[in-house]
């Protein structure tokens, strides 16, 4: 796929100026030809929409390719103003490990301009977040220690703020603590994952293009001040708060 991959990347850049496409190859010793290794894509229209309208919250996940070629598809999904999924960037890699994830996340950080000065504003979500508060986290860790000491030692070496929602910083004003958006995207592209790599990438690009047009036309027809998912959540909170009591504590304190 080396030569075809290069042509595909150039066509993406030509037809979508400003898009980021990074192709990583290895030289095959037998044929002395470039051999496909990894490919990262972040379309300019997708990036523009994310920067202008989405929160600084990103879900990341990986899934197996099901076709003739082995590999993994790594994805990054944002949250749009309606609290729905906003697919951002995707990357085909040889397998899922520390090095391929580092490659993917490093490119993603450059594209959305995550720096040491602003990284505290960002939250990344993956599948390792279960204990909802600190006492429960400690109880679960003690149970893990009894059940599997090696697993406990492995987890203990990782700062809890990186993987447990009990330690997520409260500066993130979003109650999304699962990675369901990535799961939804994986289901949406299930049909594409058994195709050859370039055909799969084109399927994903076309899917996103049609999705963006549909949602743009949908939002243009609405005149509400709040989007549907946000309105539903607000109404639910209103119903829930009706059973609460308020006690005045002077001035504007309650």
């Amino acid at each position: 796929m080396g030569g075809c991959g290069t042509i595909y990347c150039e066509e993406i850049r030509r037809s979508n100026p400003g898009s980021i496409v990074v192709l990583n190859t290895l030289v095959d010793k037998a044929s002395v030809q470039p051999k496909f290794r990894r490919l990262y894509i972040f379309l300019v229209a997708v990036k523009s929409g994310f920067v202008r309208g989405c929160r600084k919250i990103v879900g990341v996940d990986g899934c197996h390719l099901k076709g003739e070629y082995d590999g993994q598809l790594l994805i990054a999904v944002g949250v749009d103003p309606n609290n729905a999924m906003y697919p951002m960037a995707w990357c085909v890699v040889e397998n899922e490990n520390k090095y391929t994830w580092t490659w993917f996340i490093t490119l993603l950080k450059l594209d959305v301009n995550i720096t040491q000065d602003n990284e505290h504003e960002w939250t990344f979500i993956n599948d390792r977040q279960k204990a909802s508060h600190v006492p429960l986290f400690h109880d679960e860790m003690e149970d893990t220690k009894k059940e599997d000491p090696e697993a406990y030692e492995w987890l203990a070496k990782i700062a809890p703020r990186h993987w447990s929602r009990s330690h997520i910083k409260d500066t993130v004003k979003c109650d999304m603590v699962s990675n369901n958006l990535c799961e939804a995207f994986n289901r949406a592209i299930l049909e594409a994952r058994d195709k050859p790599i370039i055909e799969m990438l084109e399927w994903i690009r076309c899917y996103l293009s049609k999705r963006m047009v549909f949602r743009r036309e949908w939002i243009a027809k609405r005149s509400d001040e709040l989007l549907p998912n946000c309105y539903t959540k607000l109404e639910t909170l209103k119903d829930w708060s009706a059973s609460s009591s308020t006690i005045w504590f002077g001035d504007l304190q309650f």
Side-chain angles (χ1 to χ4, degrees):
M1 182 191 158
C4 295
T6 301
I7 294 172
Y8 179 73
C9 292
E10 290 301 324
E11 181 58 24
I12 289 289
R13 297 188 187 101
R14 185 199 64 79
S15 58
N16 297 263
S19 296
I20 304 300
V21 187
V22 180
L23 174 64
N24 183 287
T25 61
L26 289 173
V27 176
D28 182 74
K29 293 182 179 179
S31 62
V32 199
Q33 296 294 322
K35 182 179 179 181
F36 175 82
R37 190 182 185 197
R38 302 170 191 164
L39 178 59
Y40 167 91
I41 298 176
F42 199 155
L43 299 176
V44 64
V46 176
K47 178 178 178 179
S48 176
F50 176 79
V51 171
R52 294 182 181 186
C54 296
R55 300 188 182 109
K56 294 181 178 180
I57 298 173
V58 181
V60 292
D61 199 8
C63 57
H64 289 280
L65 302 185
K66 298 177 177 293
E68 179 181 352
Y69 302 99
D70 294 331
Q72 293 270 342
L73 181 70
L74 307 184
I75 60 171
V77 179
V79 186
D80 74 11
N82 192 38
N83 279 351
M85 72 170 182
Y86 189 91
M88 296 167 54
W90 52 96
C91 174
V92 178
V93 297
E94 64 273 29
N95 50 55
E96 186 177 3
N97 55 43
K98 175 182 177 180
Y99 303 104
T100 53
W101 270 113
T102 299
W103 192 76
F104 179 50
I105 297 298
T106 298
L107 291 171
L108 183 64
K109 286 176 63 177
L110 289 172
D111 280 343
V112 295
N113 194 33
I114 300 177
T115 66
Q116 289 186 343
D117 293 332
N118 67 16
E119 63 181 10
H120 64 281
E121 302 173 3
W122 290 80
T123 297
F124 279 74
I125 303 176
N126 61 15
D127 289 330
R128 293 191 297 171
Q129 74 300 318
K130 300 301 177 186
S132 58
H133 53 82
V134 175
L136 178 59
F137 170 80
H138 290 306
D139 288 343
E140 295 292 339
M141 286 295 284
E142 286 302 314
D143 290 343
T144 302
K145 188 175 184 179
K146 296 174 184 176
E147 178 102 11
D148 190 334
E150 290 187 8
Y152 169 83
E153 292 295 333
W154 183 77
L155 286 170
K157 294 176 182 177
I158 308 173
R161 66 187 179 88
H162 291 313
W163 64 275
S164 173
R165 70 187 186 195
S166 61
H167 289 72
I168 292 177
K169 52 185 179 293
D170 57 12
T171 54
V172 181
K173 306 305 180 187
C174 181
D175 60 358
M176 190 170 294
V177 291
S178 69
N179 208 18
N180 291 339
L181 296 183
C182 282
E183 298 298 331
F185 184 58
N186 281 337
R187 287 194 298 271
I189 64 172
L190 186 61
E191 177 186 336
R193 286 162 50 192
D194 63 352
K195 300 181 183 299
I197 292 177
I198 291 182
E199 188 175 346
M200 176 190 70
L201 295 173
E202 268 299 277
W203 194 101
I204 294 173
R205 186 187 66 81
C206 292
Y207 162 76
L208 285 184
S209 298
K210 290 183 285 188
R211 188 176 188 274
M212 291 176 71
V213 170
F214 172 81
R215 295 186 72 81
R216 184 164 60 240
E217 293 178 345
W218 171 76
I219 197 65
K221 298 176 183 178
R222 302 195 62 87
S223 57
D224 314 59
E225 293 185 3
L226 290 177
L227 292 171
N229 287 346
C230 299
Y231 179 80
T232 301
K233 180 176 289 188
L234 181 61
E235 289 299 307
T236 301
L237 290 174
K238 283 169 60 179
D239 293 340
W240 174 78
S241 65
S243 62
S244 303
S245 59
T246 305
I247 301 175
W248 183 52
F249 198 62
D251 297 326
L252 294 178
Q253 301 181 72
F254 294 87

